[in-house]
Amino acid sequence: MEESKKDPPDIELKESGKSPTTPSFKVDMAISALPMEDEEICDVDSVPTWFTPKRLLVIFCTINLLNYVDRGAIASNGVNGSIENCTESGICTSGNGIQGDFKLSFFEDGVLSSAFMVGLLLFSPIFASLAKSHNPFRLIGVGLSVWTLAVVGCGVSFDFWSISICRMLVGVGEASFISLAAPFIDDNAPPTQKTTWLAIFYMCIPSGVALGYVYGGVVGEHLNWRYAFFGEAILMLPFAILGFVIKPLQLKGFNKSKIHTSASQSPAVHVSEGEQVLDGNTQSVTISSAKTSNKLIISTGFRSILVEISKFWDDLRVLLVDNVYMTNALGYIAYNFVIGAYSYWGPKASYAIFNMANTDLWFGGLTIFCGIFGTLAGGFILDRIDSTISNAFKLLSGATFLGAIFCFTAFCMKNLYAFLFLFGFGELLVFATQAPVNFITLHCVRPPMRPLSMAISTVAIHIFGDVPSSPLLGVLQDHIHNWRATSLILTTILFIAAVIWCIGIFIPSFDRFNEDSDIGVSSGERSNSRPLLDGITAERSTKETP
C-alpha cells in the first residue's frame, strides 16, 4: 500500500521528463511555494475591519489639511514676521518672526516658501517607485515621520540655512503622501461621486492655507513663532504612528502579491550555479562560473532599467506634442505663478497696503470661504453645462479673466472694505478653475497615460509656477519698495493665463477618457481590478463561483 501511494508522483515525473534532482524541478517546486495572487487578494482577514473608504478619505483629507496649514502658517504675519524698520527721524521698530529673527531679505524670505518643493519634487517619483516593492501605507508612515521631525527642526532652527534645510525635508515627507493619496481617492470613491470626493480633497488646499494664516497669527502673537511648528508636529504625530501600527492597506495598481513575491522570491528560490531566474520566468541557464552569472544578472537589470526609461521618454514625447495638454499646462503654470505668490505674500502685502488689523484672520477667513465655495462651484457649473474639454476651457478662461479684473481693481482701492469685497469675489472666480483644469488633464489623454499626465502637470506648475514666483516677487519688492505696485504687476499674469486657456477653446479636442487601455489588457482584466476596500463580500462570492 505504501509503495502504491508513491507511484503517481513517480509516474508524473517520468512523463514530464523531470526528477527531484533536476534543476528545473527544484525551481518549479520553489516557485509553486510562493503565495498566489488570488490568495493574496482574497485574504479578507488582512484587511482592518474598521477601515472604510469614507474613513480613509477623512484621514487623507486631514493629513492634506495639515500639510497646507504648515504652508499657511509660515506665510502668516505671526510666524513669518517682518524685518527691522527705521523711519527718517531715526526711530526703529525691531523685527519679529522668522524674517526679523534671522534678518532675512525679501528674496531669502521668498526662498523659504519654495524650499519644500525641492524635497517634494525629488522624492515623489522615488516613493512612487518604492510602492512597487513596499506597502504604500507603510511608506506614508515613513514619510509622515520625516515630515514631523522636519517641522520640529523648523521650530529649533537658528539661521536661514538651517530652516531652509528643514523646509526641504518637509517636502520629502509630503512626497510620500502626495504621490500615493490620489490613487486611493480615485479607486475607492463611488462611481457617481468621484468628482465630489476629489473636490473635497482639493478643498483642503485653500482651506489648509487659510487656516494656517489664522493659526500662525494666533500662535505667533500670543506665544512665539516656533511654537506654531511644534503644534503642527503634535497634530501630525498620530497619523505618522498610524502608518506603522495598523495592518497595512493596499491601493489599486500596487499588487499585494507582487510586493510579497518580490520580497520573498530571493530567499525562497534556491538556484544552483547553473540556473537563473530572469524577468519572473524560470529558465535553465548553463553558465561556466558564478562570475559570469553575476555579469548576466547585472546586464539584465541594466537592460530593464533602460527599457523603463525608454518607455517614460516615449510617453513624455506624446504629452509634449499634445496641443490640448500643453495649452492647458501652460495656462495652469501662469495661474499657479500668481496663486503661489498670493498665498505667501498676501497677508504681508495686505497689511502693508491697508494697515489691516488682524491681517491673518481676515485674509485666512476670506480664503477659506472663497476656496470652498469657488472649488465646488467650478465643478458644479462644468457638470451643468456638459463636461467637455471645450467647455472646460471656456470656464477656465472666463472665470480667470473676470477674477483677474476683480483682483486687479481690489489692489487699486484705498478703502479696506472695498478691497475685501472685490478681492474676495475675485478669489471666488479664480478658485473655480480647480475642477476644470484637472478634468482636462485627465480626459485629454488615454487611460494608461493619466498618471503620467497628472505627474508632469504637477511638476510643471511647481517648477515654473509657485516655486519661482515667491522669490521673484520678493526681488521685485526689494527694488520698488511698494506692495501695491508689486501686487498689481503680479495680478496681470492672470490675464495671460486667461488668454492661454482661451486659445484652448479653438484647438480640436475630444474626450479620451473611455478609450481602450493598452493593447494586451482585455476588458475582462480591467473589470476584475477592484479597489481593496470595495466590496469584500463581492470577492468572496467571486471566489465561490465555479
Side-chain angles (χ1 to χ4, degrees):
M1 292 296 294
E2 292 180 358
E3 293 180 358
S4 62
K5 290 181 181 180
K6 295 180 181 180
D7 288 339
D10 293 339
I11 294 173
E12 291 178 2
L13 290 175
K14 290 178 181 179
E15 292 177 351
S16 62
K18 299 179 182 180
S19 67
T21 59
T22 60
S24 58
F25 173 78
K26 290 189 290 183
V27 174
D28 289 343
M29 292 299 293
I31 294 295
S32 65
L34 295 175
M36 299 300 292
E37 183 174 344
D38 292 337
E39 292 175 356
E40 291 285 353
I41 295 175
C42 296
D43 187 8
V44 179
D45 294 335
S46 66
V47 180
T49 56
W50 72 276
F51 265 103
T52 64
K54 289 184 179 180
R55 286 173 179 169
L56 278 182
L57 177 64
V58 171
I59 292 174
F60 275 57
C61 285
T62 305
I63 295 172
N64 201 29
L65 194 71
L66 288 175
N67 280 327
Y68 284 92
V69 163
D70 174 69
R71 298 189 195 180
I74 197 174
S76 66
N77 284 304
V79 172
N80 191 268
S82 60
I83 58 176
E84 181 182 14
N85 263 331
C86 294
T87 63
E88 294 179 356
S89 59
I91 300 175
C92 294
T93 304
S94 61
N96 58 75
I98 296 174
Q99 192 176 23
D101 287 1
F102 298 153
K103 296 180 173 56
L104 306 180
S105 67
F106 284 107
F107 171 74
E108 291 174 327
D109 198 11
V111 169
L112 290 183
S113 72
S114 305
F116 79 96
M117 288 294 181
V118 176
L120 179 66
L121 297 179
L122 288 178
F123 279 82
S124 290
I126 293 176
F127 276 108
S129 300
L130 288 175
K132 297 178 181 179
S133 56
H134 298 77
N135 185 272
F137 210 78
R138 291 289 186 257
L139 292 176
I140 291 176
V142 172
L144 295 183
S145 299
V146 174
W147 191 96
T148 304
L149 293 174
V151 167
V152 172
C154 292
V156 299
S157 58
F158 49 87
D159 61 7
F160 168 72
W161 287 108
S162 62
I163 194 170
S164 296
I165 293 173
C166 289
R167 296 307 298 171
M168 294 178 190
L169 292 175
V170 167
V172 173
E174 188 176 336
S176 68
F177 172 74
I178 292 299
S179 59
L180 299 173
F184 158 77
I185 296 173
D186 184 62
D187 295 341
N188 291 281
T192 58
Q193 298 179 9
K194 285 183 178 291
T195 306
T196 302
W197 282 41
L198 288 173
I200 293 172
F201 186 74
Y202 284 125
M203 279 193 305
C204 295
I205 297 176
S207 301
V209 172
L211 283 175
Y213 295 151
V214 178
Y215 168 75
V218 172
V219 175
E221 181 180 352
H222 293 87
L223 297 173
N224 183 280
W225 64 268
R226 298 180 185 273
Y227 287 94
F229 292 114
F230 297 149
E232 292 171 13
I234 292 172
L235 292 173
M236 185 65 82
L237 183 60
F239 297 100
I241 296 174
L242 191 68
F244 292 103
V245 298
I246 67 168
K247 293 181 179 179
L249 299 175
Q250 293 296 327
L251 301 179
K252 181 182 176 182
F254 300 101
N255 194 309
K256 183 175 180 180
S257 63
K258 290 182 180 179
I259 293 174
H260 189 73
T261 301
S262 62
S264 60
Q265 187 170 1
S266 295
V269 181
H270 300 282
V271 185
S272 64
E273 183 177 322
E275 300 163 2
Q276 180 122 9
V277 177
L278 298 177
D279 300 328
N281 298 319
T282 306
Q283 299 180 6
S284 180
V285 183
T286 304
I287 303 175
S288 58
S289 65
K291 184 176 180 180
T292 307
S293 176
N294 291 335
K295 288 182 179 180
L296 184 58
I297 294 174
I298 295 173
S299 176
T300 304
F302 183 71
R303 285 198 301 270
S304 299
I305 294 174
L306 291 179
V307 168
E308 293 302 320
I309 293 176
S310 177
K311 289 180 180 178
F312 170 79
W313 284 112
D314 289 342
D315 291 340
L316 184 59
R317 282 196 294 268
V318 171
L319 292 179
L320 294 178
V321 298
D322 189 316
N323 293 330
V324 175
Y325 181 85
M326 289 302 298
T327 302
N328 185 55
L330 289 174
Y332 202 11
I333 289 171
Y335 165 88
N336 217 55
F337 187 95
V338 179
I339 297 302
Y342 271 171
S343 66
Y344 191 75
W345 295 114
K348 191 183 292 291
S350 301
Y351 180 79
I353 297 172
F354 301 101
N355 197 24
M356 185 190 306
N358 299 320
T359 312
D360 295 331
L361 293 174
W362 276 104
F363 205 84
L366 190 66
T367 305
I368 289 176
F369 178 84
C370 296
I372 292 175
F373 287 98
T375 304
L376 289 177
F380 177 78
I381 293 173
L382 184 59
D383 286 337
R384 295 288 294 179
I385 65 175
D386 191 12
S387 300
T388 64
I389 293 177
S390 178
N391 284 342
F393 274 125
K394 292 176 183 178
L395 182 56
L396 285 172
S397 58
T400 305
F401 185 79
L402 292 176
I405 292 176
F406 278 99
C407 290
F408 190 91
T409 307
F411 282 112
C412 294
M413 295 290 104
K414 294 184 178 180
N415 182 273
L416 171 62
Y417 297 103
F419 165 77
L420 290 174
F421 174 78
L422 292 171
F423 188 76
F425 205 81
E427 271 197 324
L428 199 67
L429 289 165
V430 167
F431 280 124
T433 60
Q434 290 297 318
V437 73
N438 286 287
F439 174 86
I440 295 174
T441 303
L442 288 171
H443 287 249
C444 72
V445 298
R446 295 183 302 109
M449 295 285 291
R450 286 175 206 146
L452 182 62
S453 70
M454 291 297 294
I456 297 301
S457 176
T458 302
V459 170
I461 64 174
H462 288 318
I463 291 180
F464 303 108
D466 54 4
V467 169
S469 66
S470 296
L472 288 177
L473 203 69
V475 171
L476 181 63
Q477 176 60 20
D478 283 334
H479 281 80
I480 66 177
H481 303 289
N482 187 325
W483 274 113
R484 188 186 297 273
T486 299
S487 301
L488 288 172
I489 293 172
L490 173 68
T491 305
T492 57
I493 300 177
L494 281 177
F495 291 105
I496 299 175
V499 170
I500 294 174
W501 278 329
C502 184
I503 295 173
I505 300 174
F506 304 99
I507 298 177
S509 61
F510 57 95
D511 195 325
R512 310 184 71 177
F513 188 82
N514 291 320
E515 280 192 14
D516 199 9
S517 186
D518 283 338
I519 297 175
V521 181
S522 67
S523 58
E525 289 172 329
R526 290 195 303 276
S527 64
N528 287 336
S529 181
R530 289 188 296 271
L532 177 70
L533 301 177
D534 184 22
I536 296 175
T537 304
E539 290 181 356
R540 287 171 174 166
S541 62
T542 302
K543 188 176 180 180
E544 293 172 359
T545 302

